[in-house]
C-alpha cells in the first residue's frame, strides 16, 4: 500500500475476509479520526459493502452515531475475456459521524 492509499478515506470492498473491511472502517473513524469514509464496491461485492457498513454502524460503532450521508450507484460497460460486452454495477456509500449541536 502506498502513502496515498494509506492517507485516503476510501475503503474498497473485495475478496478479503469480511472482518478485514469492518476493522478498516473502525480504524478510519477511531485511530485516524476521520469524520467521513467512502466505501466502494463493484459487481458481486456490492452486497458485502452494504453488510460491512451496516455492521460497523449498528454493532461496532453504534455509540459514535455513524450515519449514511450519501449513496451513489452507477454501472459501466466492460468487455469480458471472451470479448463479450457486459455491464458492471458499482456503489459508493459515504458514511460519517453525525454532528450534534
Amino acid at each position: 500500500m502506498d502513502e496515498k492509499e494509506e492517507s485516503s478515506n476510501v475503503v474498497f470492498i473485495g475478496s478479503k475476509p469480511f472482518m478485514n473491511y469492518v476493522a478498516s472502517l473502525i480504524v478510519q473513524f477511531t485511530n485516524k479520526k476521520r469524520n467521513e469514509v467512502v466505501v466502494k464496491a463493484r459487481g458481486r461485492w456490492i452486497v458485502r459493502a452494504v453488510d460491512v457498513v451496516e455492521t460497523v454502524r449498528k454493532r461496532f460503532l453504534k455509540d459514535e452515531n455513524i450515519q449514511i450521508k450519501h449513496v451513489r450507484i452507477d454501472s459501466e460497460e466492460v468487455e469480458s475475456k471472451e470479448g463479450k460486452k457486459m455491464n458492471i454495477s458499482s456503489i459508493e456509500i459515504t458514511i460519517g459521524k453525525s454532528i450534534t449541536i
Side-chain angles (χ1 to χ4, degrees), residues 82-99:
E82 297 81 31
K84 184 178 174 183
K85 293 187 182 213
M86 52 195 250
N87 286 323
I88 298 288
S89 298
S90 64
I91 192 168
E92 288 183 16
I93 306 168
T94 304
I95 59 174
K97 293 184 179 182
S98 182
I99 299 170

Side-chain angles (χ1 to χ4, degrees), residues 11 13 18-30 34 36-37 39 48-68 93-97:
V11 175
I13 305 295
F18 181 83
M19 289 307 291
N20 286 23
Y21 300 110
V22 170
S24 181
L25 283 180
I26 292 169
V27 165
Q28 290 284 334
F29 284 112
T30 56
R34 304 269 192 225
E36 200 170 86
V37 178
V39 177
R48 179 174 276 192
V50 172
D51 290 344
V52 165
V53 167
E54 290 300 286
T55 299
V56 168
R57 286 182 58 229
K58 295 179 178 177
R59 189 167 165 208
F60 290 96
L61 295 179
K62 62 184 174 189
D63 296 333
E64 297 288 325
N65 202 18
I66 303 295
Q67 301 294 318
I68 295 172
I93 306 168
T94 304
I95 59 174
K97 293 184 179 182

Side-chain angles (χ1 to χ4, degrees), residues 71-87:
V71 177
R72 183 177 154 268
I73 59 172
D74 198 8
S75 64
E76 61 184 270
E77 191 174 271
V78 296
E79 196 170 306
S80 70
K81 294 175 185 173
E82 297 81 31
K84 184 178 174 183
K85 293 187 182 213
M86 52 195 250
N87 286 323

